[in-house]
Amino acid sequence: MESKLSNKISTEAKEDIRELVEKIGRFHNGEIDEDKFKAYRLTRGVYGQRQVGVQMFRTKIPYGRLTSDQLIRIADVSEKYTNGNLHTTTRQNIQLHYVKLDDSPAIWTELEEVGVTAREACGNTVRNVTGSALAGIDPDEPFDITAYAEATFRYFLRNPICQDMGRKIKIAFSSSSKDSAFAYFHDFGFIPVVKTENGKEVRGFKTLIGGGLGAQSIVAKTAFEFLPEDQIIPFTEAAIRVFDRYGEREKRFKARMKFLIDEKRGLGFEKFMELVEKERKSIPHQSYPIDRTLVPELVLPPKQDYPEVAIADEEKYQDWLTSNVFEQKQKGFHGVQIKLSNGNIDAERARKLSAIIKKYAGDDLRITVNQGFLLKYVETKALPVVFNELNALGLAEYGFGTIADITACPGTDTCNLGVSNSTGVAEVLEGIIKEEYKDLIFDADIQIKISGCMNSCGQHMAANIGFHGSSIKNGKLVVPALVVLLGGGVDPEGQGSVGDKVAKLPSKKAPEALRIILDDYKENALPGEYFNSYYRRYGKIYFFDLLKHLIDPNQFIQSDYIDWGATDNFVPAIGVGECAGVSYDVIGTIIDDASEKLSIAKKELTRNEFARVIYNAYNTLVIGAKGLLLSEDVSCNTHIGILRDFDKHFVSTNKFPLEGNFETLVLQINENEPGSDFAIAYLEQAEQFLQDVKAYRARQVAEDTSQKGKLVVDNFYKA
C-alpha cells in the first residue's frame, strides 16, 4: 500500500501512519501499556468510544474547509470502515464512529490522499484551528482570516512545543467583531482589525487569551487590542511555551490555560504576559509574515443557464431563503447554509451534496460551528434549483442558525463522558419550536445548545438557553436530568458571556421548561429585546421560580426515570474521558521517552530545524529528570517544578553528577536565540545528561531490585 500511495501522501504523514501501525502491533503484543498507548493514539485522532471494542476516529479540518472531493473521500471511508455516518462537530471537524482500531491506519491513509489529516485531532495538543465559516464572503469582515487560520494550523502541526502538554490548546479566528467563531471562549482568540498608519491600512488582530467552556467557563481576557498580523504566530508560540512549562498537569480539571492566567489559581495575567515576553528571545521567528496565498484559489461553478424549476412548497422555499441564505460581500453571489440534524449526514447524501457543490457552488465547503454546512458562491439565479436538489436530499430544512437549529453533542450515544441523552431531546425541542414557536425562528436571536455532560462539547455555556446532562438521585432510583442555563453566548455587539445555571430538572421535563421560558419571553420581553437582556432584567431567581415546580421529586412520574431514546429505567454509566495524560507507567519507560525525544532532536538537526532541535532537547532534559524524581516518589505536576525539585533532591544533595544548577542548565532555552551553535551545544548537554540519568538509574536498580519494575501511580506522573 505504501509504495502505491507514496506520491499522494506527504513524507511526514507517511511516517505518522507507519508509526501508528507499529504502535498498534506493539500494543496488541503487550509491549505497550494500555494507558501509554491511549496517550499516543489520541494525538492520532483515535478516541475510545462508549461502546467496547470500537473507536471514534476524528479528522482535523482547519476552519472547517473541505473541497467536494475531500467530502466524497470521507463519505467513502465512512461507508467502507464505519457505520456510514459523518458527524460534524462544533470544532468544525468530522468524526467517524464505530471504527476498529486496526482499521485506523487505513482510514488515515485514504484520507491523507486527499489532504485530510488526523494528526493532533485529539489529546493534549493544539487542537483544530477553528474559524468563522463566513470568512472570505462575510459582508462585515475587515479582511479574510482564512490564510491566517491556515498558517497557524500548519505552524503548530507536529511542532515539538505542543506534543507533550498537560492539556489541550484551542484557537479560533472570527471573521469580524460579531465573533461568530466564539473567540472569547478559546485559549487563543483572534478578531481581525484594520487601522491606518501613515496613510496606509495595516492588518492586525484583537487578541484574546485564556477563555474556555466546560465545568468552569471563563470569558477570555484581551491581551492586545491590536496585534500586528506578523506577530500572531510568534506571540502564540511564546505563550504556548509558557503554558507548557508552568501549566498544571497533576490536576486535570485545573490544567487549562484559563487557570494558569487566573490571579488566584495560577500565575495571574500580568505575570503570564511577562513570561511570554521573556520567552520571545528563544522562538525561531520574531516576525512571521502570513502568506495570503496559502489557501488554494477558489474554483467557481461553471457558467451556465440555470433551468426553470417549479417550487413544490413555496412557503418552505421562502422560509429557507429568509433563514438559510444570505448575500455575500461579492455581489450576485449567495451563501447557502445547510442545517444538519444533530450534525449527522449519511455517506450517500454527502456524495450527492458534493455533486451539487461541483455544479452550483464554489468548491469551498465550510463546516460551521453549529454543526452545519455552508455553500459559497451560489448565484442568485441558481437558488431555486439548488433548493430543489437540497430538498430532495432532506437538506433544505429552514431555520439554520436560529432557535430551531439546536446544537447537540453525541452525548450518551457514543461518548464515554455522556451522563444523559442530548440528541433525542434536541430533536424533540426542535419539533416543539417549529410547531409552536415558528415566529421566534425569524424574529428572535436565540440559540439553544445541549451537551451530554458539563464539559460543553455542545457549547451549552455559550447559549442563550443551554442544557447539560446530569442526574438526580431520588430514593433508590436515579432520574436522567438536564441542567438549565440561561444568558450565555455572544451578543449582537460581539461580547461573550457565560450562561448561569438556573435549575436541574428531569430530562423528560425539558420540553415543558422550554415552553415556560419561551412563553414568558414572548409575554414579558420588550419589543425587539435581546433574550439575554430580558434574562438579566428579570434575574436568575425569577427563572428559578418559574421552573421550580418541575424540580419537585414528589411530582416525578414513571416516564421521568427513562431517558430519551431508552425503554428501561435510567442507570448512570459514565466512563473516563480520554483527553487526560497517562495514569501510570514504569520508570524505565519514562526514561525511554526521554531517549525518543533525543532521537527526534538529532533527526531535526540533520534538517537544520534548530528551534525544533532545541525544544526536543529541552524535553529530553525535563523527562529524564522526571524519571529520577518519580523513582523517589517526588510529585511532578509542572515542568518548572521538575527543574527546581531536581536541584533540591539530586543536585544540591550531590546525588547526581551535575556541574552548576539544573534549572539554569535547562532554562538556557530562554537566554539564547535558536541558532545552530546553541542548538548543537544544548543537544550535547541533553545527551550527556540523559547518559548520566541512565547510569544513575542502573545503579539505583542494582542497589534496590524492587525499583526495577516500579510503577508511578496516578498524580505523580502527569508532568
Side-chain angles (χ1 to χ4, degrees), residues 408-583:
C409 72
T412 53
D413 292 351
T414 57
C415 179
N416 268 327
L417 291 176
V419 182
S420 61
N421 182 279
S422 51
T423 56
V425 68
E427 292 174 2
V428 171
L429 297 185
E430 281 191 2
I432 288 172
I433 290 163
K434 283 200 168 186
E435 293 170 13
E436 303 175 28
Y437 299 93
K438 185 177 179 180
D439 57 321
L440 292 181
I441 296 175
F442 304 103
D443 296 338
D445 184 8
I446 299 174
Q447 300 286 316
I448 301 176
K449 299 178 183 293
I450 306 174
S451 300
C453 72
M454 66 178 67
N455 287 317
S456 207
C457 292
Q459 299 179 332
H460 65 270
M461 299 294 288
N464 307 102
I465 302 173
F467 299 90
H468 82 68
S470 187
S471 61
I472 299 171
K473 189 84 163 58
N474 190 25
K476 295 183 179 180
L477 298 177
V478 181
V479 178
L482 289 169
V483 175
V484 182
L485 302 99
L486 299 175
V490 178
D491 67 23
E493 285 71 48
Q495 182 61 48
S497 59
V498 173
D500 295 329
K501 295 180 181 180
V502 173
K504 179 163 71 172
L505 42 82
S507 294
K508 286 293 181 68
K509 297 191 186 298
E512 187 177 350
L514 182 64
R515 288 187 178 101
I516 290 169
I517 293 166
L518 295 183
D519 287 343
D520 193 84
Y521 174 71
K522 291 179 71 174
E523 181 178 349
N524 293 317
L526 302 174
E529 187 175 23
Y530 179 53
F531 181 88
N532 287 2
S533 300
Y534 144 80
Y535 164 68
R536 292 192 176 93
R537 187 160 55 84
Y538 280 91
K540 177 178 175 179
I541 299 302
Y542 174 82
F543 290 92
F544 175 79
D545 287 340
L546 287 179
L547 301 176
K548 66 181 180 182
H549 66 283
L550 302 178
I551 303 170
D552 183 1
N554 296 319
Q555 302 301 315
F556 293 174
I557 60 176
Q558 176 55 36
S559 61
D560 291 332
Y561 293 90
I562 302 172
D563 206 357
W564 295 101
T567 55
D568 297 326
N569 279 1
F570 178 74
V571 177
I574 307 169
V576 177
E578 290 223 321
C579 291
V582 290
S583 59

Side-chain angles (χ1 to χ4, degrees), residues 193-460:
V193 179
V194 172
K195 70 178 185 178
T196 302
E197 291 182 356
N198 300 321
K200 293 183 179 180
E201 287 192 345
V202 180
R203 291 183 176 186
F205 290 85
K206 182 175 183 176
T207 303
L208 310 163
I209 63 168
L213 297 175
Q216 298 184 65
S217 296
I218 295 175
V219 176
K221 295 180 182 295
T222 300
F224 303 96
E225 288 292 345
F226 183 90
L227 183 67
E229 60 177 335
D230 70 315
Q231 291 300 307
I232 61 171
I233 285 178
F235 169 72
T236 304
E237 176 172 6
I240 290 176
R241 284 168 176 248
V242 173
F243 171 69
D244 189 35
R245 189 166 304 137
Y246 289 86
E248 172 69 43
R249 292 165 184 254
E250 178 184 331
K251 300 178 180 66
R252 178 174 176 266
F253 58 90
K254 291 185 178 179
R256 294 294 299 275
M257 184 179 284
K258 60 188 178 184
F259 300 117
L260 184 60
I261 69 170
D262 184 79
E263 298 295 335
K264 294 182 179 179
R265 292 172 286 189
L267 296 169
F269 177 75
E270 298 299 331
K271 178 65 175 177
F272 177 83
M273 293 297 286
E274 287 176 15
L275 290 169
V276 170
E277 189 58 35
K278 184 177 180 181
E279 198 75 24
R280 291 291 291 266
K281 186 175 183 179
S282 66
I283 63 176
H285 305 282
Q286 298 304 308
S287 170
Y288 196 91
I290 303 300
D291 179 0
R292 299 178 189 176
T293 66
L294 277 177
V295 181
E297 186 175 350
L298 178 70
V299 178
L300 292 173
K303 291 291 183 182
Q304 57 191 292
D305 293 324
Y306 298 103
E308 295 287 337
V309 296
I311 303 295
D313 188 339
E314 185 64 30
E315 182 181 359
K316 182 178 182 180
Y317 177 59
Q318 292 302 323
D319 288 340
W320 177 79
L321 287 175
T322 300
S323 60
N324 292 37
V325 178
F326 64 93
E327 187 173 10
Q328 300 179 186
K329 69 179 185 181
Q330 296 84 2
K331 299 302 179 186
F333 289 103
H334 297 265
V336 173
Q337 299 167 121
I338 297 173
K339 180 179 176 295
L340 297 179
S341 178
N342 288 324
N344 294 321
I345 183 171
D346 60 85
E348 184 60 27
R349 288 194 300 162
R351 282 190 288 264
K352 290 179 178 178
L353 174 61
S354 296
I356 293 172
I357 294 169
K358 287 176 185 263
K359 286 173 66 177
Y360 305 118
D363 200 6
D364 184 0
L365 176 71
R366 299 289 173 105
I367 304 167
T368 64
V369 295
N370 59 330
Q371 301 176 289
F373 286 143
L374 169 63
L375 278 54
K376 298 182 173 183
Y377 289 93
V378 178
E379 293 190 76
T380 306
K381 293 180 180 179
L383 291 173
V385 66
V386 168
F387 169 78
N388 273 1
E389 294 200 20
L390 290 176
N391 198 37
L393 298 177
L395 297 176
E397 294 304 307
Y398 65 86
F400 177 94
T402 71
I403 190 173
D405 187 5
I406 297 177
T407 300
C409 72
T412 53
D413 292 351
T414 57
C415 179
N416 268 327
L417 291 176
V419 182
S420 61
N421 182 279
S422 51
T423 56
V425 68
E427 292 174 2
V428 171
L429 297 185
E430 281 191 2
I432 288 172
I433 290 163
K434 283 200 168 186
E435 293 170 13
E436 303 175 28
Y437 299 93
K438 185 177 179 180
D439 57 321
L440 292 181
I441 296 175
F442 304 103
D443 296 338
D445 184 8
I446 299 174
Q447 300 286 316
I448 301 176
K449 299 178 183 293
I450 306 174
S451 300
C453 72
M454 66 178 67
N455 287 317
S456 207
C457 292
Q459 299 179 332
H460 65 270

Side-chain angles (χ1 to χ4, degrees), residues 634-700:
V634 178
S635 179
C636 297
N637 66 322
T638 67
H639 278 188
I640 194 68
I642 288 171
L643 308 189
R644 293 166 182 172
D645 281 340
F646 194 81
D647 276 325
K648 176 181 177 181
H649 293 276
F650 286 91
V651 179
S652 65
T653 58
N654 295 316
K655 292 172 67 175
F656 189 87
L658 184 71
E659 292 185 14
N661 179 280
F662 183 63
E663 182 177 354
T664 302
L665 167 67
V666 176
L667 292 186
Q668 290 178 92
I669 192 173
N670 286 342
E671 306 298 330
N672 293 270
E673 296 178 1
S676 60
D677 290 345
F678 176 61
I680 292 169
Y682 197 56
L683 178 59
E684 289 175 351
Q685 291 172 317
E687 185 169 22
Q688 181 60 55
F689 177 77
L690 185 58
Q691 288 176 4
D692 292 340
V693 165
K694 290 179 177 179
Y696 184 96
R697 180 62 181 163
R699 292 193 301 272
Q700 190 180 48

